[in-house]
Amino acid sequence: RSHEHMSALLLDSIVDKHSIDIEPDYLKVIKEMIVASSDVSTAEGVKEKRFLYDIVANGRNGIDVDKFDYIDRDCRACGIGSNFQHWRLLEGMRVMGDEICYPAKDYLSIHKLFTTRADLHRTVYTHAKVKAVELMLVDALVEANEYLGISLHADDPEDFWKLDDTIVKSIETAPNDELKKAKEIIQRIRRRELYKFCNQYSVPKDKLDHFKNITAQDIVCSQITSKVLLKEEDVAVSNVKIDLTRGKDN
Protein backbone atom coordinates (compact mmCIF):
# COMPACT_ATOMS: atom_id res chain seq x y z
CA ARG A 1 0.00 0.00 0.00
CA SER A 2 1.41 3.44 -0.91
CA HIS A 3 1.71 6.18 1.69
CA GLU A 4 -0.75 8.25 -0.37
CA HIS A 5 -3.43 5.56 -0.01
CA MET A 6 -2.78 5.28 3.73
CA SER A 7 -3.19 9.09 3.96
CA ALA A 8 -6.64 8.74 2.39
CA LEU A 9 -7.55 5.97 4.86
CA LEU A 10 -6.32 8.13 7.75
CA LEU A 11 -8.51 10.98 6.53
CA ASP A 12 -11.55 8.68 6.53
CA SER A 13 -10.67 7.54 10.04
CA ILE A 14 -10.32 11.10 11.35
CA VAL A 15 -13.64 12.19 9.82
CA ASP A 16 -15.44 9.18 11.31
CA LYS A 17 -13.77 9.29 14.71
CA HIS A 18 -14.39 13.00 15.30
CA SER A 19 -17.75 13.18 13.48
CA ILE A 20 -16.49 15.93 11.18
CA ASP A 21 -19.31 17.45 9.15
CA ILE A 22 -18.12 17.31 5.54
CA GLU A 23 -19.99 16.57 2.34
CA PRO A 24 -19.19 13.06 1.01
CA ASP A 25 -18.43 14.51 -2.42
CA TYR A 26 -15.90 16.95 -0.94
CA LEU A 27 -14.25 14.15 1.02
CA LYS A 28 -14.03 12.05 -2.15
CA VAL A 29 -12.37 14.91 -4.05
CA ILE A 30 -9.82 15.52 -1.25
CA LYS A 31 -8.85 11.85 -1.20
CA GLU A 32 -8.53 11.77 -4.99
CA MET A 33 -6.20 14.78 -4.79
CA ILE A 34 -4.01 12.93 -2.28
CA VAL A 35 -3.67 9.75 -4.35
CA ALA A 36 -3.51 11.48 -7.75
CA SER A 37 0.21 10.74 -8.31
CA SER A 38 -0.03 7.07 -7.33
CA ASP A 39 -3.28 6.50 -9.23
CA VAL A 40 -3.19 8.70 -12.30
CA SER A 41 -6.26 6.98 -13.77
CA THR A 42 -8.39 8.42 -10.96
CA ALA A 43 -7.39 11.95 -11.81
CA GLU A 44 -7.66 11.38 -15.55
CA GLY A 45 -11.28 10.35 -15.07
CA VAL A 46 -12.09 13.78 -13.69
CA LYS A 47 -13.72 16.01 -16.27
CA GLU A 48 -13.78 19.38 -14.49
CA LYS A 49 -10.90 21.34 -12.95
CA ARG A 50 -8.34 18.64 -13.65
CA PHE A 51 -5.60 21.04 -12.50
CA LEU A 52 -6.77 20.71 -8.87
CA TYR A 53 -5.41 17.17 -8.85
CA ASP A 54 -1.93 18.42 -9.73
CA ILE A 55 -1.52 20.66 -6.66
CA VAL A 56 -0.67 18.17 -3.89
CA ALA A 57 0.68 15.17 -5.78
CA ASN A 58 1.29 15.85 -9.46
CA GLY A 59 1.32 12.61 -11.42
CA ARG A 60 1.42 14.55 -14.68
CA ASN A 61 4.79 16.32 -14.42
CA GLY A 62 5.92 16.04 -10.78
CA ILE A 63 5.73 19.77 -9.97
CA ASP A 64 3.70 19.93 -6.75
CA VAL A 65 3.59 21.54 -3.31
CA ASP A 66 4.69 18.28 -1.67
CA LYS A 67 8.13 18.74 -3.27
CA PHE A 68 8.10 22.47 -2.50
CA ASP A 69 7.61 21.57 1.17
CA TYR A 70 10.06 18.71 1.77
CA ILE A 71 12.88 20.10 -0.39
CA ASP A 72 12.87 23.40 1.49
CA ARG A 73 12.52 21.69 4.88
CA ASP A 74 15.15 19.00 4.32
CA CYS A 75 17.71 21.45 2.93
CA ARG A 76 17.28 23.65 5.99
CA ALA A 77 17.33 20.74 8.45
CA CYS A 78 20.51 19.29 6.92
CA GLY A 79 22.29 22.62 6.54
CA ILE A 80 22.39 22.34 2.77
CA GLY A 81 22.18 25.49 0.69
CA SER A 82 19.37 25.56 -1.85
CA ASN A 83 18.85 27.88 -4.80
CA PHE A 84 15.33 26.62 -5.38
CA GLN A 85 12.78 29.38 -4.65
CA HIS A 86 9.29 27.93 -4.56
CA TRP A 87 7.71 31.35 -4.00
CA ARG A 88 8.86 32.41 -7.47
CA LEU A 89 6.82 29.59 -9.01
CA LEU A 90 3.82 30.25 -6.74
CA GLU A 91 3.75 33.92 -7.75
CA GLY A 92 3.95 33.24 -11.48
CA MET A 93 1.74 30.17 -11.91
CA ARG A 94 -1.53 30.42 -13.82
CA VAL A 95 -4.17 27.91 -14.89
CA MET A 96 -4.34 27.67 -18.67
CA GLY A 97 -6.17 24.96 -20.60
CA ASP A 98 -7.04 23.22 -17.31
CA GLU A 99 -3.36 22.84 -16.47
CA ILE A 100 -1.06 24.68 -14.04
CA CYS A 101 1.44 26.62 -16.15
CA TYR A 102 4.49 28.75 -15.43
CA PRO A 103 6.11 31.69 -17.26
CA ALA A 104 8.82 30.61 -19.69
CA LYS A 105 11.32 32.83 -17.84
CA ASP A 106 10.95 30.61 -14.75
CA TYR A 107 12.28 27.48 -16.47
CA LEU A 108 15.44 27.60 -14.34
CA SER A 109 13.36 27.49 -11.16
CA ILE A 110 11.59 24.40 -12.50
CA HIS A 111 14.95 22.84 -13.31
CA LYS A 112 16.31 23.64 -9.84
CA LEU A 113 13.30 21.93 -8.25
CA PHE A 114 14.30 18.61 -9.83
CA THR A 115 18.07 19.00 -9.58
CA THR A 116 17.84 19.96 -5.88
CA ARG A 117 15.67 16.88 -5.29
CA ALA A 118 18.27 14.73 -7.06
CA ASP A 119 21.07 16.33 -4.99
CA LEU A 120 19.19 15.53 -1.77
CA HIS A 121 18.94 11.90 -2.85
CA ARG A 122 22.68 11.77 -3.59
CA THR A 123 23.96 13.60 -0.51
CA VAL A 124 21.32 12.86 2.15
CA TYR A 125 18.71 10.17 1.47
CA THR A 126 21.20 7.63 0.04
CA HIS A 127 24.26 8.70 2.07
CA ALA A 128 26.18 5.62 3.29
CA LYS A 129 25.60 6.34 6.99
CA VAL A 130 21.94 7.22 6.44
CA LYS A 131 21.45 3.90 4.64
CA ALA A 132 23.31 2.08 7.43
CA VAL A 133 21.00 3.51 10.10
CA GLU A 134 17.97 2.77 7.91
CA LEU A 135 19.02 -0.87 7.45
CA MET A 136 19.70 -1.26 11.17
CA LEU A 137 16.32 0.21 12.11
CA VAL A 138 14.60 -2.18 9.70
CA ASP A 139 16.49 -5.12 11.24
CA ALA A 140 15.52 -3.98 14.75
CA LEU A 141 11.85 -3.64 13.80
CA VAL A 142 11.85 -7.06 12.11
CA GLU A 143 13.39 -8.60 15.25
CA ALA A 144 10.77 -6.87 17.43
CA ASN A 145 7.84 -7.60 15.16
CA GLU A 146 6.96 -11.05 16.47
CA TYR A 147 6.67 -9.71 20.04
CA LEU A 148 5.21 -6.24 19.35
CA GLY A 149 3.09 -7.15 16.33
CA ILE A 150 4.27 -4.07 14.41
CA SER A 151 3.20 -5.35 11.00
CA LEU A 152 -0.33 -6.00 12.25
CA HIS A 153 -0.80 -2.22 12.56
CA ALA A 154 0.46 -1.40 9.08
CA ASP A 155 -2.90 -1.66 7.29
CA ASP A 156 -5.24 -0.28 9.96
CA PRO A 157 -5.40 3.54 10.10
CA GLU A 158 -6.66 3.33 13.71
CA ASP A 159 -3.32 1.79 14.68
CA PHE A 160 -1.02 3.03 11.92
CA TRP A 161 -0.67 6.55 13.37
CA LYS A 162 0.87 5.06 16.51
CA LEU A 163 3.87 3.75 14.54
CA ASP A 164 6.14 6.75 15.09
CA ASP A 165 9.62 7.22 16.58
CA THR A 166 8.37 6.27 20.07
CA ILE A 167 8.50 2.61 19.02
CA VAL A 168 12.31 2.82 19.09
CA LYS A 169 12.23 4.04 22.70
CA SER A 170 9.75 1.27 23.55
CA ILE A 171 12.21 -1.33 22.27
CA GLU A 172 15.14 0.30 24.12
CA THR A 173 13.40 0.43 27.49
CA ALA A 174 11.56 -2.91 27.33
CA PRO A 175 12.65 -5.41 30.04
CA ASN A 176 11.60 -8.39 27.89
CA ASP A 177 14.18 -10.95 26.74
CA GLU A 178 12.16 -11.31 23.54
CA LEU A 179 13.37 -7.85 22.47
CA LYS A 180 17.03 -8.42 23.35
CA LYS A 181 18.27 -8.64 19.73
CA ALA A 182 16.26 -5.60 18.64
CA LYS A 183 17.50 -3.64 21.65
CA GLU A 184 21.12 -4.49 20.88
CA ILE A 185 20.75 -3.14 17.34
CA ILE A 186 19.21 0.14 18.58
CA GLN A 187 22.00 0.49 21.16
CA ARG A 188 24.56 -0.01 18.39
CA ILE A 189 22.99 2.91 16.53
CA ARG A 190 23.21 5.05 19.69
CA ARG A 191 26.90 4.18 20.01
CA ARG A 192 27.45 4.85 16.29
CA GLU A 193 28.55 1.26 15.74
CA LEU A 194 26.92 1.26 12.34
CA TYR A 195 26.96 -1.35 9.60
CA LYS A 196 30.17 -0.79 7.65
CA PHE A 197 30.07 0.75 4.19
CA CYS A 198 32.30 -1.33 1.91
CA ASN A 199 32.16 -0.07 -1.64
CA GLN A 200 30.11 1.52 -4.39
CA TYR A 201 29.97 1.28 -8.15
CA SER A 202 28.53 3.83 -10.54
CA VAL A 203 27.03 2.15 -13.58
CA PRO A 204 28.04 3.85 -16.86
CA LYS A 205 25.11 5.37 -18.72
CA ASP A 206 25.63 3.18 -21.76
CA LYS A 207 25.32 0.05 -19.56
CA LEU A 208 22.17 1.07 -17.67
CA ASP A 209 19.68 -0.58 -20.03
CA HIS A 210 21.17 -4.05 -19.55
CA PHE A 211 22.37 -3.74 -15.95
CA LYS A 212 20.46 -5.87 -13.45
CA ASN A 213 20.21 -5.01 -9.75
CA ILE A 214 23.05 -6.49 -7.69
CA THR A 215 22.06 -8.86 -4.87
CA ALA A 216 23.79 -10.03 -1.70
CA GLN A 217 24.14 -13.42 -3.38
CA ASP A 218 26.11 -11.80 -6.23
CA ILE A 219 28.55 -10.28 -3.73
CA VAL A 220 28.99 -13.51 -1.75
CA CYS A 221 29.55 -15.56 -4.91
CA SER A 222 32.19 -13.09 -6.13
CA GLN A 223 34.46 -13.17 -3.08
CA ILE A 224 37.98 -14.48 -3.41
CA THR A 225 38.84 -17.26 -0.98
CA SER A 226 40.11 -15.85 2.29
CA LYS A 227 40.05 -16.61 6.01
CA VAL A 228 36.71 -14.81 6.38
CA LEU A 229 33.88 -15.97 4.14
CA LEU A 230 30.80 -13.78 4.01
CA LYS A 231 27.31 -15.23 4.05
CA GLU A 232 24.30 -13.60 2.36
CA GLU A 233 22.92 -12.40 5.69
CA ASP A 234 26.20 -10.51 6.29
CA VAL A 235 25.71 -8.34 3.22
CA ALA A 236 23.23 -5.56 2.38
CA VAL A 237 23.15 -4.15 -1.14
CA SER A 238 21.48 -0.86 -1.98
CA ASN A 239 20.68 -0.36 -5.67
CA VAL A 240 20.05 3.35 -6.20
CA LYS A 241 18.68 5.07 -9.29
CA ILE A 242 18.55 8.86 -9.17
CA ASP A 243 16.99 10.87 -11.99
CA LEU A 244 14.83 13.95 -12.52
CA THR A 245 11.66 11.90 -11.71
CA ARG A 246 11.07 10.82 -15.31
CA GLY A 247 13.81 8.28 -15.96
CA LYS A 248 15.84 9.30 -18.98
CA ASP A 249 13.38 12.04 -19.93
CA ASN A 250 14.19 15.67 -19.18
Side-chain angles (χ1 to χ4, degrees):
R1 188 190 301 275
S2 71
H3 65 272
E4 289 94 351
H5 279 93
M6 179 51 77
S7 296
L9 290 176
L10 282 168
L11 182 59
D12 277 334
S13 175
I14 291 168
V15 169
D16 291 340
K17 185 175 182 179
H18 299 285
S19 302
I20 297 173
D21 185 19
I22 181 171
E23 291 286 337
D25 287 347
Y26 285 160
L27 184 61
K28 181 174 178 288
V29 168
I30 293 169
K31 288 191 292 182
E32 286 175 349
M33 286 181 181
I34 294 172
V35 302
S37 66
S38 61
D39 187 10
V40 179
S41 59
T42 300
E44 285 179 347
V46 178
K47 295 179 180 178
E48 293 183 6
K49 297 187 177 179
R50 169 69 177 80
F51 71 90
L52 291 175
Y53 297 82
D54 294 337
I55 295 173
V56 178
N58 192 333
R60 188 151 47 175
N61 58 38
I63 306 169
D64 51 50
V65 294
D66 179 46
K67 285 188 183 65
F68 292 5
D69 172 57
Y70 78 72
I71 286 174
D72 198 30
R73 183 181 63 245
D74 291 354
C75 284
R76 188 183 296 113
C78 296
I80 298 172
S82 170
N83 290 324
F84 171 61
Q85 299 171 320
H86 65 268
W87 56 266
R88 190 180 293 278
L89 294 180
L90 290 172
E91 285 182 354
M93 65 170 60
R94 295 290 184 273
V95 176
M96 301 170 67
D98 204 25
E99 188 170 352
I100 299 173
C101 301
Y102 304 87
K105 64 184 177 62
D106 285 338
Y107 78 94
L108 277 178
S109 294
I110 298 287
H111 192 258
K112 283 175 184 174
L113 166 68
F114 292 108
T115 55
T116 304
R117 172 191 169 279
D119 287 342
L120 279 169
H121 275 274
R122 289 189 193 94
T123 59
V124 180
Y125 308 144
T126 61
H127 187 280
K129 283 189 167 50
V130 173
K131 295 300 292 185
V133 172
E134 180 183 314
L135 290 165
M136 292 177 79
L137 277 174
V138 169
D139 285 349
L141 293 174
V142 169
E143 287 290 345
N145 183 54
E146 188 173 345
Y147 183 75
L148 296 179
I150 299 167
S151 59
L152 298 175
H153 304 312
D155 291 322
D156 185 354
E158 282 294 315
D159 291 327
F160 182 79
W161 68 270
K162 300 172 187 174
L163 299 179
D164 58 12
D165 291 351
T166 57
I167 198 167
V168 174
K169 185 60 70 176
S170 298
I171 293 171
E172 274 188 295
T173 56
N176 317 71
D177 287 339
E178 293 91 342
L179 293 175
K180 184 180 178 183
K181 282 188 177 180
K183 190 183 298 186
E184 287 173 352
I185 296 172
I186 300 297
Q187 288 172 346
R188 280 186 60 184
I189 295 174
R190 299 293 189 200
R191 294 193 298 265
R192 301 291 288 175
E193 296 173 5
L194 307 180
Y195 292 167
K196 296 296 181 183
F197 170 70
C198 296
N199 204 354
Q200 67 179 24
Y201 173 70
S202 296
V203 182
K205 285 185 178 180
D206 60 334
K207 301 280 179 61
L208 278 175
D209 289 340
H210 308 290
F211 197 88
K212 295 180 180 179
N213 281 349
I214 300 296
T215 66
Q217 185 181 37
D218 294 328
I219 302 298
V220 171
C221 292
S222 301
Q223 60 187 324
I224 299 171
T225 305
S226 64
K227 291 181 180 179
V228 179
L229 282 177
L230 294 171
K231 299 186 290 293
E232 280 189 51
E233 56 266 32
D234 298 325
V235 180
V237 181
S238 180
N239 292 279
V240 179
K241 294 179 181 178
I242 300 172
D243 55 40
L244 300 182
T245 76
R246 281 295 178 272
K248 291 182 177 180
D249 295 335
N250 190 329

